[in-house]
Amino acid sequence: MSRTALAAAGLAMLAGAPVHAEPPRIWDPGYRIVSPDLAGIPRLRFLTSLDFPPFNFADANRKPTGFNVDLARAICAELGLTDRCEIQAIPWDELEPALDGRRGEVILAGTAPSAEKRLQFGLSEPYFRFPARFVANRAFQPGGDFARALEGRKVAVVARSAHAAMLETHFPATEPVPVADMPAAYAALGSGEADLVFGDGVTLSFWLAAPASEQCCRFVSGPYMSSTHLGHGMVAVTRAQDQPLLDAVNAALRAVEQNGVYAEIFARYFPIDPFGS
């Protein structure tokens, strides 16, 4: 899934009224981490961008808002730093140089972890992962054995994408229908050229909630997760030497999941739960 494609889908749905959504469990219940004392920190500055709705974008007053922005505020509150919390939006390409230049302490903007980034920065545990999902017309009734129901079914999927590779690996009994992009996938489903669409669950959730779908379709089965094909989600980023701060961010992320704040934030920004039925 490209950052641009998801941003376009999110932007199209920002004016809609969301319904309640439940996030997946991010943290292992047995995971333990002690938050360092940050009482002496003069301020905690989060760096984000404005080009990745619904995660980070500009509101009507051009102020940063979105899932990541609300999560940053929740981290500050959990760490007792609300009065010293700042959120600054700058272009995506300037985030890491700004962090290196000490113009902020944490990037929270939708960064995907990688081995290269781990050598340069401190990376939190993933706080959001992207599921793959199937979407089908509401008339499609797979029954109890979904794998058998997929046999010979035509599945629209973006050609040469991570989801195409995942479909080939895990659902070899399907008949892929390669398409150029997600709008083409929706068109294939609508015309009957494909029986299902397979792609990013977040992008699909926005389409299902949008008028363009005409409420034709729904999620079937899933969600499906794959670090191999889909990566490890999104992480917060600190400078490599700021290990106490990174530990504190991880502890706060775990706390906001446990106390329900993460679920409240999640419900604000997802019109249809990309992890739900």
Side-chain angles (χ1 to χ4, degrees):
M1 178 200 59
S2 74
R3 183 181 174 90
T4 301
L6 180 56
L11 188 61
M13 277 305 303
L14 289 178
V19 297
H20 181 65
E22 289 290 341
R25 177 172 291 280
I26 300 298
W27 293 87
D28 183 332
Y31 186 91
R32 295 289 182 269
I33 185 169
V34 177
S35 179
D37 182 7
L38 298 181
I41 190 171
R43 57 184 172 175
L44 182 53
R45 296 171 295 176
F46 283 88
L47 301 172
T48 192
S49 62
L50 298 177
D51 62 350
F52 194 33
F55 294 98
N56 24 277
F57 59 98
D59 66 13
N61 297 314
R62 297 298 299 167
K63 292 183 178 180
T65 191
F67 179 92
N68 284 330
V69 175
D70 285 3
L71 186 59
R73 293 192 177 103
I75 291 171
C76 284
E78 184 62 35
L79 297 176
L81 298 173
T82 298
D83 59 342
R84 288 172 278 172
C85 188
E86 299 178 13
I87 299 172
Q88 179 183 0
I90 59 178
W92 170 260
D93 291 342
E94 297 178 19
L95 289 170
E96 291 178 3
L99 185 68
D100 281 334
R102 297 189 174 276
R103 291 166 52 194
E105 284 69 52
V106 184
I107 295 173
L108 201 65
T111 300
S114 67
E116 181 182 3
K117 288 192 186 299
R118 290 189 188 282
L119 293 175
Q120 295 179 275
F121 302 102
L123 305 183
S124 75
E125 294 297 316
Y127 63 86
F128 191 97
R129 293 183 175 91
F130 292 90
R133 297 298 306 262
F134 286 97
V135 160
N137 190 283
R138 291 185 181 277
F140 177 74
Q141 299 294 333
D145 189 339
F146 185 68
R148 179 165 295 180
L150 284 182
E151 292 180 2
R153 294 285 186 175
K154 296 180 179 180
V155 181
V157 64
V158 175
R160 297 179 296 280
S161 67
H163 295 96
M166 190 174 174
L167 185 71
E168 180 180 3
T169 299
H170 296 288
F171 305 97
T174 61
E175 182 181 337
V177 178
V179 295
D181 51 28
M182 290 306 293
Y186 307 144
L189 183 62
S191 69
E193 181 184 355
D195 301 305
L196 303 97
V197 170
F198 186 65
D200 171 61
V202 174
T203 301
L204 286 167
S205 75
F206 286 118
W207 178 71
L208 289 173
S213 74
E214 298 180 341
Q215 299 185 347
C216 68
C217 306
R218 61 185 178 89
F219 284 134
V220 290
S221 188
Y224 296 95
M225 311 298 292
S226 172
S227 297
T228 300
H229 293 99
L230 307 179
H232 297 275
M234 301 191 302
V235 297
V237 183
T238 68
R239 286 180 289 273
Q241 62 269 34
D242 290 346
Q243 187 62 48
L245 175 58
L246 182 61
D247 290 343
V249 168
N250 274 323
L253 286 170
R254 185 177 189 278
V256 297
E257 179 181 76
Q258 287 185 318
N259 63 24
V261 171
Y262 184 96
E264 292 174 6
I265 296 170
F266 184 93
R268 292 172 200 160
Y269 294 101
F270 295 94
I272 293 178
D273 183 358
F275 298 89
S277 59

